[in-house]
Amino acid sequence: MNPVFASIVGMTALVALVIAGGSRRHQADQQRRLAAWARAQGDSLEQTDVDRIAAAIVEAATRYDVPISVLASIAYHESRWTPTARNGTACGTFQQKTQYSARWSDRGYAGDAAAPVLTCDQLCNDIEQAARICARKIRAYSRESGSLRTALCMYARGATGGANCIDGGAYADSELDLAVEIDRAMRKA
């Protein structure tokens, strides 16, 4: 191998490692700040749940380019960050409905047409997948509608809200207001 080329390849690998390390440190800092915000809300949450949910939110938000504060806001409004929350067919931290889970699950999103519907227990126990499902929906709905607000309406209405989302408008506004508060608190922490 040409020594100059080898040097460039080596430097490129070094830069990639530094960036990845910095990214992991940044994510860890974001998780810490988000968990601190959640604990400050005064809800009686287990510390391990708060840490696990914060980690899942930061990872999913980063992976799918969705604001961390938006996912955190959804989790707070839907369940007060309670992994075992249930309301009819809506389950878990993000109150996702089981009937829509196959399409957005890890297998379904990867193109597996035979992906099974996730059970309520799975949506409650697999917080990481639940956060990815939420992030995938928000990203897809944002791209489809061109608006984060409309995407939140669509999330609230099970994707049926569309551009004329009226019933979910108050929900979306509430989510966005809390997301702004979360962003401010995370910057201060």
Side-chain angles (χ1 to χ4, degrees):
M1 180 182 286
N2 179 325
V4 172
F5 181 72
S7 175
I8 291 171
V9 168
M11 287 301 290
T12 302
L14 178 62
V15 167
L17 283 172
V18 168
I19 289 171
S23 177
R24 280 191 294 274
R25 281 190 298 278
H26 179 69
Q27 281 189 356
D29 184 54
Q30 293 296 310
Q31 290 170 16
R32 179 189 60 74
R33 290 169 185 254
L34 183 56
W37 172 84
R39 285 187 195 95
Q41 301 317 297
D43 296 311
S44 58
L45 300 169
E46 295 292 326
Q47 182 162 337
T48 54
D49 286 341
V50 170
D51 292 339
R52 188 169 165 214
I53 293 167
I57 287 171
V58 170
E59 187 277 327
T62 302
R63 179 184 290 187
Y64 294 104
D65 197 26
V66 173
I68 292 168
S69 59
V70 168
L71 290 186
S73 176
I74 291 170
Y76 189 76
H77 276 139
E78 293 290 353
S79 72
R80 295 295 190 258
W81 280 41
T82 305
T84 57
R86 294 176 189 235
N87 182 11
T89 61
C91 308
T93 306
F94 298 92
Q95 288 295 284
Q96 292 156 340
K97 295 191 177 222
T98 56
Q99 67 262 35
Y100 302 124
S101 65
R103 173 182 173 198
W104 299 101
S105 70
D106 291 342
R107 284 182 54 189
Y109 199 72
D112 182 352
V117 169
L118 299 176
T119 66
C120 208
D121 284 342
Q122 288 171 311
L123 289 168
C124 289
N125 295 326
D126 191 347
I127 295 168
E128 295 77 13
Q129 180 163 212
R132 289 189 297 271
I133 289 170
C134 184
R136 289 173 187 142
K137 286 180 175 183
I138 296 301
R139 183 178 75 171
Y141 299 160
S142 291
R143 288 180 175 174
E144 178 183 325
S145 68
S147 160
L148 181 56
R149 182 181 186 277
T150 303
L152 289 165
C153 285
M154 293 170 75
Y155 185 85
R157 306 217 358 110
T160 60
N164 296 320
C165 191
I166 295 169
D167 294 342
Y171 172 89
D173 293 340
S174 178
E175 294 295 356
L176 291 171
D177 289 346
L178 182 56
V180 168
E181 287 179 34
I182 294 169
D183 273 334
R184 284 185 189 135
M186 287 178 66
R187 276 191 239 118
K188 288 180 186 178

